[in-house]
Amino acid sequence: QKEVEQNSGPLSVPEGAIASLNCTYSDRGSQSFFWYRQYSGKSPELIMFIYSNGDKEDGRFTAQLNKASQYVSLLIRDSQPSDSATYLCAVNSFIIKAAGNKLTFGGGTRVLVKP
Amino acid sequence: SAVISQKPSRDICQRGTSLTIQCQVDSQVTMMFWYRQQPGQSLTLIATANQGSEATYESGFVIDKFPISRPNLTFSTLTVSNMSPEDSSIYLCSVEKGETYNEQFFGPGTRLTVL
């Protein structure tokens, strides 16, 4: 059974600091990796996806992927109180659209950014 | 991304009844997905719905309990049948959007409470 593990938190960070979130996965066949942000009472919002080893930056967010070690991380630079949310890691066995595509989600990490 | 709407946004239902949830997308998509998010939990995939074919259910979910329709490329319904309090959850639809890659985008969700 494919598993995706995240520390449930809460991860408490002061405003302006870097929040570092980690996610490990069990299936070596996983090919694409996603980070979703979910505010309380709202649906998940896609913020990053990555499928190549290394770093991918988008604004204050950086996703890091290491397939050999089977982990993916998310860095949030200059954290703001508005970043307080639950961050969900998800993995997929495919990169491109294909029959059988599906996401497996981790349990999520709750992040609290304190002013 | 995609603009996705769900109806109803929330409902309170009696045990033993059924509720049909609608998911509408603003453009044609091949694959639609239905998830459940129980209180304080992460997302669990119920089934994948492709237009013109039977839905594919995940382990633990059966068609008699969660019948799905996919009559065209912009619409799907999920019915929660013979409800019990254990079905109280948020139900989310998502779509794969984009030309090539498999990013999924979520609708706003339907919050279901079963008494």
Side-chain angles (χ1 to χ4, degrees):
Chain A
Q1 182 172 344
K2 301 177 182 179
E3 293 183 347
V4 180
E5 301 286 342
Q6 296 181 255
N7 188 317
S8 61
L11 175 64
S12 183
V13 296
E15 184 175 357
I18 296 175
S20 178
L21 292 74
N22 294 315
C23 170
T24 60
Y25 58 94
S26 64
D27 182 14
R28 282 197 172 275
S30 299
Q31 295 292 326
S32 53
F33 307 85
F34 303 83
W35 285 100
Y36 286 86
R37 178 176 61 197
Q38 187 174 27
Y39 292 114
S40 180
K42 301 294 185 182
S43 63
E45 173 192 9
L46 180 65
I47 55 173
M48 291 285 289
F49 74 94
I50 186 170
Y51 50 86
S52 299
N53 277 326
D55 295 358
K56 179 181 179 182
E57 187 174 315
D58 184 358
R60 296 186 296 110
F61 299 103
T62 299
Q64 299 174 319
L65 175 61
N66 184 322
K67 289 185 179 180
S69 300
Q70 294 179 238
Y71 82 80
V72 56
S73 61
L74 179 71
L75 301 178
I76 308 173
R77 292 183 300 279
D78 188 23
S79 295
Q80 302 296 310
S82 60
D83 295 324
S84 297
T86 296
Y87 290 80
L88 300 168
C89 172
V91 304
N92 196 315
S93 299
F94 298 88
I95 296 175
I96 62 174
K97 296 164 71 171
N101 239 344
K102 58 183 178 181
L103 293 176
T104 301
F105 280 85
T109 297
R110 190 158 69 98
V111 173
L112 295 174
V113 181
K114 297 185 175 181
Chain B
S1 63
V3 178
I4 307 168
S5 61
Q6 285 185 235
K7 290 182 181 179
S9 59
R10 59 178 63 227
D11 208 341
I12 301 173
C13 300
Q14 295 298 318
R15 181 195 298 260
T17 62
S18 299
L19 176 72
T20 296
I21 302 168
Q22 300 178 4
C23 179
Q24 180 77 52
V25 191
D26 66 337
S27 57
Q28 294 182 344
V29 294
T30 302
M31 299 182 74
M32 297 180 75
F33 305 85
W34 286 98
Y35 289 85
R36 181 173 73 182
Q37 188 172 30
Q38 294 181 305
Q41 303 295 315
S42 189
L43 281 75
T44 301
L45 180 65
I46 296 172
T48 302
N50 290 343
Q51 193 268 338
S53 62
E54 295 288 327
T56 301
Y57 289 83
E58 296 299 302
S59 175
F61 298 96
V62 296
I63 188 171
D64 289 346
K65 176 68 175 177
F66 298 101
I68 288 172
S69 76
R70 183 76 201 276
N72 58 52
L73 290 173
T74 63
F75 187 78
S76 179
T77 67
L78 169 76
T79 299
V80 186
S81 302
N82 188 25
M83 289 184 286
S84 67
E86 292 70 35
D87 295 318
S88 297
S89 188
I90 298 173
Y91 292 85
L92 296 139
C93 70
S94 74
V95 304
E96 274 187 349
K97 192 62 179 172
E99 292 298 319
T100 303
Y101 300 107
N102 57 2
E103 308 101 280
Q104 283 187 30
F105 299 91
F106 284 84
T110 296
R111 183 180 294 272
L112 171 62
T113 302
V114 183
L115 302 178

